[in-house]
Structure formats: C-alpha cells, structure tokens
C-alpha cells in the first residue's frame, strides 16, 4: 500500500516520533515545563495525515489512470 | 539577576559536552557539576518555543552525551533554571539520578508501533447493515482491539529476553493504537532488530513501524 510513499512517509513519522519524545517524555527536573502535550499522541495525528495523503495520492492516481 | 540556563540532560560527573556541538539558538554548551552529577546546559538568550529546529537541537545535544558507556538521562524540552536552582534540584535526589544513570548505562531506546494498514475505525468506515445498526460496529471494534492487543503481545514476546526495560502506551485510537518503547543494551541491538524483522515476516497483515536508536526518553520520566 505504501510502496511509493514509504520513504517520505517514514521520514515524517520518524520526525513525529522525535517530537513526541522530546516534548512529552524525558525527565522533569524543575517541576515546571514550558510545554506540555500530555495526553495528545502526536504520532497518531501525524499518521492520520500521512495515511490520508497516501490514500488521496492513490485515489488521484486511479482517477488519472481511469481518464486515460 | 542570575541568567537562566536551558537544561538538556543529566550525566555522570566529568562528562563535559564536546566543543563542536552547540545548543538551542547556537548557544555554547557547558556543564554544571553537583553531587557527583553533571547537567548539560546553555544560556537562554530569549524564550524558546517548540519550533522544530529547537526540538531537534535539544535532541542533538542529548545524543551528543551518548557514548559506549554513558547514557544520559534526557530532560524534557522546555525547562530552565538559574545555576543555584539547578544545584538545589540535583542535591534534592542525587541517588535517584545516579540509579537512573546506572540503569541506562550502555543502552539505547528503540520504538515499535504495530501499524494497522486498513482504514481507521470510524462509523463511516464500518457500515452496519440496516437490521443491526449497532452490533456489527461493536463486533468490528472488539475484533480490532483484540488484534491490536495480540500484536502488542507478539512484539513483547519476540523481544522479551533482549530488552532491559519496556514501556507500553496503549489506548490511542487510530492506525497505530499502541506504542512500545524498549531499552536495549548495545550488545543486544543486532539480535533485537533481527527478532523484530522475523516477527514482521511472520505477521504479513501487520506492519511494524520501528524507530531509534534514541536516548532513553521514554524511561526517564
């Protein structure tokens, strides 16, 4: 399903994994963190975007092929 | 007025930052030593929000503290303190920080998400027949939850003997409903990756999305 989109998609997902970790994990030492995203799974949000764009690209490709 | 310091990670004492790595906004790094511990910091020039570049800089500094024998305790993005405040924080629980450093030494974090390749679970995607509008949706939901749980157990079993620590976050809805994080000793990394590849081949319906190696972000909190 994601053969053609995998490299770009996976790169985005790695970036989301990074953001998720740096913002939402790691030790809290000062008792006060400027940014909190607890409870929000950024990777889930990102995955939805990636999968949606893959799906859209596929549908467009099918439409384009059908028009030929 | 004391200047504020941006905090990156805790390491054992006498583990100074390399000179060729800079902090957020290009600020030079230095270490504050206290109680047999060291914290990598840079001076905060201005307030830093979660811009992607800042997040990447923060992670890069923590990665620079990783060596074959030292694995730092990563500190969550967005924390600042004066030098006096920081020393007091370290002295509040030096044994706790040292225990975490000992737990992490020589190990790296990896992430695994069993990734569903079918459509997300929404009412639009699972159309119930007119006769039983609610039942099929709930049956399908239960089936998917069972599959996700099976996938998580399969990943857990495949690497159980190879990981030092495991953290599983469940409950998120969508194509990657579960996230597993593993702390793996460097000498086990090749075996760990091999075990996941074998599992991936055994489960054609489920794609495993892997990430890492990371500093042990998921085990530091």
């Amino acid at each position: 399903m994601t053969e053609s989109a995998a490299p770009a998609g996976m790169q985005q997902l790695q970036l989301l994994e990074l953001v998720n970790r740096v913002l939402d994990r790691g030790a809290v030492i000062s008792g006060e963190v400027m940014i909190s995203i607890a409870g929000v799974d950024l990777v889930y949000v990102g995955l939805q975007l990636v999968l949606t764009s893959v799906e859209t690209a596929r549908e467009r490709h099918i439409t384009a092929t059908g028009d030929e | 007025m004391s200047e504020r310091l941006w905090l990156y990670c805790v390491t054992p004492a006498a583990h100074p930052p390399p000179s060729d790595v800079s902090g957020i906004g290009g600020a030079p790094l230095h270490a504050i030593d206290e109680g047999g511990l060291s914290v990598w910091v840079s001076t905060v020039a201005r307030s830093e929000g979660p811009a992607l570049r800042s997040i990447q800089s923060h992670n890069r500094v923590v990665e620079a503290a990783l060596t074959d024998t030292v694995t730092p305790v990563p500190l969550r993005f967005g924390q600042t303190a004066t030098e006096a405040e920081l020393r007091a924080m370290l002295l509040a629980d030096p044994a706790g920080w040292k225990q975490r450093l000992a737990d992490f030494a020589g190990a790296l974090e990896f992430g695994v998400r069993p990734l569903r390749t079918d459509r997300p679970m929404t009412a639009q995607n699972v159309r119930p027949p007119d006769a039983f509008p609610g039942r099929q949706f709930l049956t399908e939901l239960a089936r998917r939850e069972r599959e996700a749980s099976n996938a998580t157990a399969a990943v857990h079993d495949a690497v159980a003997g190879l990981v030092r620590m495991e953290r599983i976050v469940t409950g998120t809805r969508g194509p990657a409903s579960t996230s597993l994080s593993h702390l793996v000793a460097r000498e086990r990394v090749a075996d760990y990756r091999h075990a996941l590849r074998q599992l991936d081949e055994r489960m054609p319906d489920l794609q495993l999305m892997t990430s890492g190696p990371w500093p042990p972000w998921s085990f530091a909190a």
Side-chain angles (χ1 to χ4, degrees):
Chain A
M1 151 189 156
T2 54
E3 273 175 20
S4 60
M10 289 313 281
Q11 218 169 26
Q12 289 180 52
L13 293 171
Q14 292 287 326
L15 200 56
L16 285 159
E17 290 281 7
L18 167 71
V19 171
N20 218 32
R21 281 177 166 74
V22 176
L23 292 189
D24 198 34
R25 300 179 184 178
V28 176
I29 186 174
S30 72
E32 192 176 303
V33 183
M34 189 171 64
I35 299 114
S36 173
I37 58 159
V40 178
D41 189 336
L42 284 180
V43 174
Y44 166 57
V45 176
L47 271 172
Q48 290 288 49
L49 292 175
V50 171
L51 294 180
T52 303
S53 60
V54 167
E55 184 76 9
T56 306
R58 195 169 52 173
E59 279 170 8
R60 279 187 188 154
H61 177 69
I62 289 166
T63 307
T65 310
D67 287 343
E68 280 169 5
Chain B
M1 191 180 79
S2 301
E3 62 183 7
R4 292 202 75 77
L5 303 171
W6 185 276
L7 315 178
Y8 297 92
C9 57
V10 179
T11 75
H15 185 66
S19 55
D20 60 344
V21 178
S22 55
I24 287 174
L29 299 170
H30 64 282
I32 303 289
D33 287 351
E34 185 65 70
L37 298 160
S38 192
V39 181
W40 288 18
V41 302
S42 63
T43 303
V44 181
R46 58 190 165 80
S47 176
E48 287 290 342
L52 188 54
R53 198 159 37 169
S54 304
I55 292 168
Q56 288 172 314
S57 291
H58 187 87
N59 184 61
R60 204 160 35 242
V61 171
V62 179
E63 282 183 340
L66 273 167
T67 67
D68 286 349
T69 52
V70 172
T71 298
V73 181
L75 295 176
R76 197 173 300 181
F77 185 94
Q79 298 178 83
T80 64
T82 65
E83 186 175 330
E85 287 168 348
L86 178 57
R87 289 183 186 282
M89 290 166 198
L90 288 174
L91 288 174
D93 184 24
W97 293 107
K98 284 174 186 169
Q99 182 60 54
R100 274 190 266 191
L101 286 168
D103 291 342
F104 295 166
L108 300 162
E109 176 180 329
F110 292 84
V112 187
R113 285 179 188 260
L115 176 62
R116 298 197 57 86
T117 52
D118 54 6
R119 284 167 171 271
M121 185 71 187
T122 65
Q124 288 76 32
N125 292 338
V126 184
R127 293 207 179 86
D130 294 338
F132 300 101
R135 182 180 292 176
Q136 186 170 333
F137 181 85
L138 292 173
T139 305
E140 175 66 9
L141 184 63
R143 184 185 70 79
R144 291 188 178 203
E145 283 178 354
R146 207 162 46 240
E147 276 183 10
S149 166
N150 290 344
T152 304
V155 173
H156 167 86
D157 291 347
V159 301
L162 301 169
V163 306
R164 202 183 282 180
M165 293 186 194
E166 181 181 57
R167 183 181 176 213
I168 301 175
V169 178
T170 56
T172 54
R173 296 188 65 195
S177 58
T178 304
S179 159
L180 298 95
S181 301
H182 295 125
L183 188 71
V184 185
R186 284 173 183 267
E187 64 269 20
R188 300 310 258 310
V189 168
D191 291 342
Y192 172 81
R193 284 185 160 143
H194 181 66
L196 285 180
R197 266 198 306 274
Q198 282 188 320
L199 178 64
D200 205 18
E201 286 164 13
R202 283 207 310 272
M203 302 176 71
D205 294 339
L206 206 65
Q207 192 180 348
L208 294 179
M209 195 184 95
T210 57
S211 68
W214 305 102
W217 291 104
S218 304
F219 301 96

